[in-house]
Amino acid sequence: MKTLFANFVEGVASYAGSVFRTSMPSYCQIETADSDISLVTAQGTLVSGLRLNGFNFPIGPAEFEEVTSAITRTLQSFLSNSGHSVDFFATVDPSKIRRKLSVLSDGVRNTCDRIGLQMDDVITSNENALAKLTADEALYLVLWTRKSVISKNEIGTEQKEIMEKLADLPRTSKSAQPYFSALSSVREKHEATIGSILEDLKNSGVVCEMLNSREMLRIARMEIDPEFTPADWNPQLVGDRIPVVQSPGILRDQNKRNLDFSDMQYPPISWQLFPRDAQRINSKYVSVGERAFAPVFVEIPPREITPFSVLFDKLKTAKLPWRCLIRIDGGGLAYTSIKAAFAPLLSLTSSSNSKIAEAIKALRDVEFEGNTVTRFRMSFCTWAPADNLKLLAARSSRLAQIVSAWGQCEVREVSGDPLFGMISTVPFITEESAANAGVAPLAHLTRMLPLRPSSPWASGSIVFRTLDGRVIPFQPGSSLQSTWNYIFFGRPGFGKSVQMLNLILSSCMQPGLNRLPQVGIVDIGPSSQYFVNMIRESLPKNLRHLVGGYKLTMSAEHAINPFDTPLGCRHPTPEHKAFIVNILSQIATPAEMDKGYSRMSELISKVIDDVYEMYSVEGAKATPKRYSIGTLPEVDEILSRFNYVHDSNTAWWHIVDFLAGAGENHAATLAQRYAVPTISDCVALSSQVVDVFGKITVDTGESLPEAFSSLISSATRDFPNLSSQTQFDIGEVRIAAINLEEVAKSGSRSAVRQTAIMYMLASYALTKDYRLSPDSVPSMRMPDQYRSYHMKRARETKEELKWIAYDEFHRTSNSEAVQASVMVDMREGRKFNIGVILSSQGAEDFPPAMREFATGTFIVDAGSDNNARSLQKFFGFNDTARNLLTQKVLGPTAAGVPMLVSLTTKKGVFTQILVSTLGQATRWALSTTAEDVLVREIVCSRLGAVEGRSALVALYPNGVQEANERLKEAGVSDSIAQIAKEIVDFRVAR
């Protein structure tokens, strides 16, 4: 009896609270979650939501018409009656952007901590720069489906079924979450509708995703009381683990000694969403915890149909925090039935009644033509600290002014109940709204909905921004792309090299890395050397040997033998052999010729097989190279220590096998350099090569084998760094840059040929271990003793992303061999987790196939309008993107480097005008200006990388070039040293 009475009292109290709105929970209509993607109200209405990330292309007038028409078609079929409603909710908060940027950087910071890279100042600097120009924002679509979508008979039948199910279950409190609320037929229609909307929006170019029930409730609570809501807050829902009973007050019968199922209750959603009650400050404002809210409502809709972007831009300029909820109810004319009946009768008494009758008639004509008419309500809200009502009043007034100027609408700040007004701007929790209702064609309303640019990535080690301040994360090398081929182009001075280096730097800090990635950079000039030196100085001393910058010269001390094989391998892998064929083909092409001799590549392939067979230790024709004491004193010493016995027949391969078996892998690698063939060994051809190719003659009158031998002999004289055993090897260096300034010339055909050979040689030196994989180890031709060694190496690097970057790529434009080699990596690099980065001065520097295989294009300079049109024709971006490219991409500014970015992902092609905004510490870290580099290296060597960059930013935030010029004009000879001393002394004094 007691329990029945308690239930009765509880029910009466709950009803009274909901009617008189005595507390915040009484405004919540959500009872529980019906499924993973749906919430349900006490009336059986189902609620689902989509996160609308935005569009993956720029929106201009033409695109705006296409997009709004597509959204209208998506919504109109089910908004023809009152069974459905749709909310569009948008929120922007500049104060939350620092937290968002910090969260985006968490993975990057964790990586830096793990691998020892001191970049916290760079990360923080970027966050600070972006925070000044961006705001946190979100956009959601909410679908409400009522029981009226099915017939009354179906409602009665299914409600009876629910009552029968409940009869078999223990009774729970009226305030607890119910076990069953939604009708199965309503659920089917609701889930089909929200699924259809999701697919239609995706097909229209909207990047969107379904929210789950917990996410919807978390979003709602964050809008209600963000200061009191943890980022990982999770609601307690039916089906979760039974909550622990913490107080006897929650028991159904407090006199019971043992608990049963009826004592276990899921706390009501309303209690969970409103952890603290609200205080009505006055008729306009309400506070929840430390935050006070000021709702603003559209009283009379805009007289002119104005895109939401106009309102958004004005609100951004005002730097206000705000949110907006636009509710669209189906069956709009049904809400005008009373006015439609009385307005014509009363038209004689007032002109207003006559206008109402005419308006309703016009709406009926619109609907008769097949267009959907809907009811809509618009609610806005801003906020401020609860102890600063003056600021709240200013923001509320400014918000009202801006909204009223949007299409000439009328607004009001008073709702009678400010708490209800605030709740009217919170998504997912109530069907009710304090805003005044209007009726309009759906096609008009969709033109006033918020449309925003998007990013396919939720997080990334690079964070761009849009021109209007939206954060756009990007993660190079992510699984969202099938390949990782990125090209940068633009005229000198437009920032392409810095942007390329920023992408490489971000790849070194990619979330999830456990050690430095493998990065190779080929450059003409010292820029990349400066970059890797900066990385090196940012590492602990015990890791600095893993980073190196080198300047290649045409000397024997920089000799690189392309015939080197992995430790123990008697023959090259297929990929390695293809490289040797390419470089020998380049060498065996006379400088005055554009293409090599016919069938020369076939001859070269045979020659390669022959020389490896000749200098192997297996086979009847093998004549391995003999070990000679004194050639490698380091190896001699180790052999002596092991008491190794050798004679005149001992081959270098025997030495290699012995040292590797003894665990001396480094010494074995050195010895192997003298066991493998060199280019010089290719001059003497086998009789089989002469027999097969000897009858082919070339333009000089020589046979093809004679021409090959002659050209190879010339190459051994012309390229000392190519014709002997390897002396230059990056070893275990993981991040390396090679400067080809001295060996890559331009001008004559001979210089172009030399440049191509040096590009290929440098690429080989940097990437020779990139293609090792567990699948390739079994087929490698080597003794079994090496298989476990190489399998271990392959497994360690299998999942690692490896990068090869080429700056000044236009220097390869006349070399088909180099570009063909790069194309192989762009086409097949995915198999070995290889990413390719290219930078040059114009799109024409990249062959059409290369541009086609690029999955990321960064255009930092459009050039002329004709050039922009050519770029549009090839890359396929829309007219709006082309216009923005010529109008906005005009070179670096104080706010960053604008560029057109096109990224091909598994979700589609993303094309936007983005801005790369780097902090002052980052600009100092990436600067390649000679004066900046010299000063940076001196200062960082004395103060350390982080302290050094901090001091540089403090005294010379924009670089030292101007200061250096002033000192030189004043006659100071050691200006760089003086500037560096000034910076060091400044930091020490502090």
Side-chain angles (χ1 to χ4, degrees):
M1 193 68 185
K2 256 186 186 179
T3 303
L4 291 175
F5 182 72
N7 283 340
F8 174 75
V9 172
E10 189 176 5
V12 171
S14 176
Y15 178 76
S18 64
V19 171
F20 297 106
R21 303 287 172 85
T22 57
S23 63
M24 284 188 73
S26 63
Y27 290 91
C28 178
Q29 294 182 328
I30 301 299
E31 283 205 323
T32 187
D34 179 65
S35 68
D36 288 341
I37 63 167
S38 300
L39 304 173
V40 62
T41 70
Q43 294 75 32
T45 300
L46 289 172
V47 189
S48 290
L50 304 178
R51 179 181 286 109
L52 304 181
N53 295 316
F55 288 87
N56 54 16
F57 51 84
I59 301 292
E63 294 77 27
F64 181 78
E65 293 297 332
E66 292 176 6
V67 165
T68 54
S69 295
I71 295 175
T72 301
R73 290 193 298 270
T74 297
L75 301 181
Q76 68 181 1
S77 61
F78 56 86
L79 287 179
S80 57
N81 60 68
S82 58
H84 294 286
S85 292
V86 173
D87 294 344
F88 284 89
F89 174 80
T91 179
V92 175
D93 190 349
S95 68
K96 290 169 64 177
I97 190 60
R98 286 188 179 275
R99 172 60 184 160
K100 179 171 184 175
L101 292 171
S102 178
V103 170
L104 287 173
S105 301
D106 281 346
V108 174
R109 282 193 168 91
N110 292 338
T111 290
C112 289
D113 290 342
R114 281 194 301 271
I115 67 178
L117 191 59
Q118 300 172 32
M119 285 289 166
D120 192 65
D121 63 315
V122 167
I123 298 168
T124 302
S125 176
N126 286 343
E127 290 174 358
N128 292 337
L130 280 165
K132 297 174 183 177
L133 300 166
T134 58
D136 183 38
E137 60 177 270
L139 177 62
Y140 304 100
L141 179 150
V142 186
L143 174 69
W144 301 78
T145 302
R146 303 178 184 88
K147 290 191 291 187
S148 58
V149 295
I150 62 176
S151 67
K152 291 183 178 180
N153 288 337
E154 288 178 294
I155 293 174
T157 300
E158 294 195 20
Q159 283 181 335
K160 183 179 178 181
E161 292 174 356
I162 288 177
M163 295 303 294
E164 291 173 353
K165 291 179 181 179
L166 289 174
D168 297 330
L169 293 173
R171 297 188 61 176
T172 59
S173 166
K174 292 291 184 182
S175 61
Q177 296 179 45
Y179 302 118
F180 305 104
S181 288
L183 306 182
S184 59
S185 297
V186 176
R187 182 185 302 115
E188 290 173 6
K189 289 183 178 292
H190 175 78
E191 293 184 352
T193 301
I194 192 65
S196 175
I197 293 174
L198 177 65
E199 291 305 314
D200 287 348
L201 289 177
K202 285 182 176 180
N203 293 336
S204 301
V206 181
V207 180
C208 54
E209 58 188 320
M210 189 82 73
L211 295 170
N212 63 48
S213 302
R214 299 177 190 279
E215 287 177 311
M216 288 187 279
L217 294 173
R218 186 182 304 120
I219 291 165
R221 177 159 158 160
M222 280 289 187
E223 294 298 326
I224 295 164
D225 197 350
E227 288 81 6
F228 211 67
T229 304
D232 58 351
W233 177 82
N234 245 334
Q236 188 80 35
L237 299 175
V238 172
D240 290 349
R241 184 176 179 180
I242 298 295
V244 177
V245 177
Q246 297 178 339
S247 167
I250 200 171
L251 301 181
R252 301 299 304 144
D253 184 351
Q254 296 181 32
N255 295 322
K256 287 170 57 173
R257 296 186 133 193
N258 298 313
L259 300 180
D260 59 31
F261 188 80
S262 66
D263 294 306
M264 303 299 150
Q265 303 177 55
Y266 290 95
I269 294 296
S270 56
W271 292 8
Q272 298 183 60
L273 289 181
F274 302 97
R276 297 186 285 185
D277 209 351
Q279 300 293 325
R280 293 175 175 85
I281 299 172
N282 54 36
S283 62
K284 295 196 296 183
Y285 308 145
V286 63
S287 67
V288 179
E290 296 79 22
R291 178 173 292 192
F293 297 88
V296 173
F297 309 96
V298 173
E299 183 75 9
I300 299 177
R303 294 178 176 85
E304 300 174 0
I305 301 173
T306 306
F308 197 90
S309 58
V310 175
L311 175 62
F312 187 93
D313 290 341
K314 290 181 179 179
L315 290 170
K316 175 181 177 290
T317 303
K319 296 183 178 180
L320 294 174
W322 60 272
R323 67 190 185 213
C324 166
L325 193 146
I326 301 174
R327 173 154 297 154
I328 304 175
D329 300 313
L333 283 177
Y335 298 100
T336 66
S337 56
I338 296 177
K339 290 184 179 180
F342 286 98
L345 299 176
L346 301 176
S347 60
L348 297 177
T349 63
S350 169
S351 60
S352 297
N353 289 323
S354 177
K355 292 178 180 177
I356 291 174
E358 292 173 3
I360 293 174
K361 181 179 182 302
L363 289 170
R364 284 176 173 167
D365 291 341
V366 168
E367 193 166 65
F368 181 77
E369 293 172 0
N371 300 307
T372 300
V373 176
T374 58
R375 182 176 72 160
F376 68 96
R377 288 164 285 181
M378 297 183 180
S379 307
F380 290 81
C381 187
T382 187
W383 51 89
D387 59 357
N388 193 345
L389 294 184
K390 185 176 180 181
L391 175 61
L392 180 64
R395 287 180 173 177
S396 176
S397 177
R398 184 67 179 131
L399 176 62
Q401 290 174 0
I402 293 172
V403 174
S404 63
W406 176 45
Q408 301 181 40
C409 63
E410 297 292 334
V411 302
R412 61 182 169 90
E413 297 181 77
V414 180
S415 64
D417 182 355
L419 178 53
F420 182 34
M422 186 274 280
I423 294 296
S424 297
T425 63
V426 177
F428 306 116
I429 65 171
T430 181
E431 293 184 79
E432 298 179 347
S433 175
N436 195 35
V439 179
L442 178 62
H444 292 184
L445 293 176
T446 54
R447 297 172 65 84
M448 296 189 290
L449 296 177
L451 305 175
R452 304 292 294 136
S454 76
S455 170
W457 286 268
S459 62
S461 54
I462 291 182
V463 180
F464 296 117
R465 66 177 178 87
T466 61
L467 293 169
D468 59 3
R470 183 168 198 184
V471 166
I472 303 290
F474 167 53
Q475 182 55 65
S478 80
S479 60
L480 197 55
Q481 295 185 287
S482 56
T483 58
W484 312 289
N485 304 320
Y486 305 128
I487 61 177
F488 294 78
F489 59 88
R491 287 175 292 176
F494 277 73
K496 66 179 182 300
S497 292
V498 170
Q499 295 309 311
M500 184 189 81
L501 294 178
N502 185 46
L503 187 144
I504 295 173
L505 176 60
S506 74
S507 300
C508 295
M509 303 187 293
Q510 181 172 342
L513 293 181
N514 293 308
R515 60 175 177 169
L516 286 172
Q518 290 182 276
V519 178
I521 310 173
V522 182
D523 197 0
I524 296 181
S527 298
S528 298
Q529 278 182 281
Y530 297 155
F531 170 75
V532 297
N533 287 342
M534 181 276 297
I535 294 285
R536 185 174 182 276
E537 292 301 317
S538 299
L539 287 167
K541 290 183 179 179
N542 66 314
L543 295 178
R544 290 180 181 175
H545 66 285
L546 298 176
V547 180
Y550 313 94
K551 188 173 185 178
L552 201 64
T553 63
M554 199 67 77
S555 62
E557 66 179 292
H558 282 145
I560 302 171
N561 180 15
F563 284 82
D564 282 339
T565 57
L567 182 62
C569 292
R570 276 36 172 184
H571 294 265
T573 63
E575 294 81 15
H576 183 193
K577 182 183 176 182
F579 163 76
I580 301 173
V581 170
N582 282 341
I583 197 167
L584 289 185
S585 297
Q586 193 70 32
I587 293 171
T589 300
E592 64 275 9
M593 293 179 62
D594 293 329
K595 292 185 177 181
Y597 294 125
S598 176
R599 298 192 67 186
M600 179 62 83
S601 61
E602 297 177 48
L603 182 149
I604 291 172
S605 178
K606 175 59 179 169
V607 168
I608 293 170
D609 292 339
D610 287 348
V611 292
Y612 276 108
E613 289 289 347
M614 180 183 298
Y615 295 113
S616 177
V617 288
E618 295 93 12
K621 297 181 179 180
T623 54
K625 296 184 178 183
R626 305 299 176 184
Y627 167 67
S628 175
I629 194 168
T631 303
L632 288 172
E634 178 183 345
V635 170
D636 297 339
E637 181 182 348
I638 294 173
L639 292 175
S640 175
R641 184 162 21 103
F642 282 102
N643 297 318
Y644 180 79
V645 179
H646 59 86
D647 55 30
S648 59
N649 290 322
T650 301
W652 277 108
W653 275 121
H654 296 143
I655 301 298
V656 172
D657 293 342
F658 174 80
L659 291 172
E664 298 287 345
N665 290 335
H666 175 66
T669 300
L670 295 178
Q672 186 167 317
R673 294 177 183 176
Y674 290 83
V676 296
T678 64
I679 286 181
S680 302
D681 296 325
C682 296
V683 175
L685 304 178
S686 67
S687 58
Q688 189 175 4
V689 171
V690 175
D691 290 343
V692 174
F693 299 97
K695 295 181 181 180
I696 302 172
T697 57
V698 297
D699 297 346
T700 60
E702 301 172 288
S703 68
L704 188 64
E706 290 172 339
F708 173 78
S709 295
S710 175
L711 290 165
I712 293 297
S713 296
S714 297
T716 59
R717 296 188 299 270
D718 296 342
F719 304 112
N721 61 351
L722 189 63
S723 56
S724 63
Q725 290 83 11
T726 292
Q727 301 299 321
F728 172 75
D729 185 8
I730 65 173
E732 60 179 338
V733 170
R734 296 185 66 80
I735 301 177
I738 296 180
N739 176 5
L740 300 180
E741 192 172 22
E742 281 196 16
V743 297
K745 305 299 180 182
S746 59
S748 66
R749 285 179 173 268
S750 178
V752 170
R753 173 173 169 262
Q754 177 176 312
T755 295
I757 293 170
M758 292 300 110
Y759 258 96
M760 298 176 73
L761 199 62
S763 173
Y764 167 73
L766 293 169
T767 68
K768 60 184 179 181
D769 293 329
Y770 278 19
R771 294 161 188 84
L772 183 64
S773 71
D775 294 336
S776 64
V777 171
S779 61
M780 292 167 65
R781 297 177 64 179
M782 59 187 172
D784 289 340
Q785 74 178 83
Y786 295 97
R787 296 205 184 278
S788 60
Y789 168 75
H790 286 298
M791 186 60 76
K792 180 182 177 183
R793 291 177 61 225
R795 286 171 178 159
E796 287 176 351
T797 62
K798 178 183 178 182
E799 302 301 328
E800 287 187 338
L801 187 56
K802 300 164 277 285
W803 297 96
I804 177 65
Y806 300 87
D807 203 357
E808 308 298 340
F809 195 69
H810 58 278
R811 297 289 290 272
T812 71
S813 58
N814 293 318
S815 172
E816 290 185 7
V818 175
Q819 295 191 345
S821 177
V822 174
M823 271 305 304
V824 170
D825 282 339
M826 295 181 77
R827 290 175 184 269
E828 303 176 7
R830 173 78 184 196
K831 293 189 296 185
F832 305 102
N833 274 356
I834 297 175
V836 179
I837 305 171
L838 309 175
S839 174
S840 195
Q841 296 181 8
E844 65 278 0
D845 297 329
F846 308 102
M850 200 168 281
R851 284 178 277 168
E852 183 178 348
F853 275 86
T855 51
T857 302
F858 302 80
I859 307 174
V860 299
D861 167 39
S864 65
D865 183 64
N866 286 337
N867 187 53
R869 291 180 183 276
S870 298
L871 293 174
Q872 178 188 17
K873 184 177 180 180
F874 185 86
F875 291 107
F877 48 79
N878 60 31
D879 289 342
T880 299
R882 188 198 73 232
N883 292 333
L884 289 171
L885 181 61
T886 56
Q887 295 167 13
K888 301 295 183 180
V889 182
L890 303 174
T893 68
V897 178
M899 52 189 162
L900 187 145
V901 178
S902 181
L903 299 167
T904 302
T905 74
K906 295 174 182 178
K907 296 180 179 180
V909 178
F910 164 88
T911 304
Q912 296 287 356
I913 300 294
L914 301 179
V915 182
S916 173
T917 298
L918 303 179
Q920 292 172 333
T922 311
R923 295 203 298 269
W924 259 110
L926 298 179
S927 177
T928 56
T929 304
E931 299 91 341
D932 288 350
V933 171
L934 292 172
V935 171
R936 183 181 68 207
E937 291 184 345
I938 295 172
V939 171
C940 291
S941 66
R942 296 181 184 177
L943 299 177
V946 176
E947 281 294 315
R949 288 192 292 263
S950 176
L952 291 165
V953 169
L955 281 188
Y956 294 97
N958 298 313
V960 299
Q961 190 171 19
E962 291 184 6
N964 185 55
E965 291 174 355
R966 286 197 303 269
L967 288 174
K968 283 186 174 181
E969 290 173 0
V972 178
S973 59
D974 59 344
S975 55
I976 294 296
Q978 184 168 320
I979 292 172
K981 182 178 184 302
E982 175 194 7
I983 296 170
V984 172
D985 291 346
F986 165 78
R987 176 57 69 179
V988 171
R990 292 185 63 184

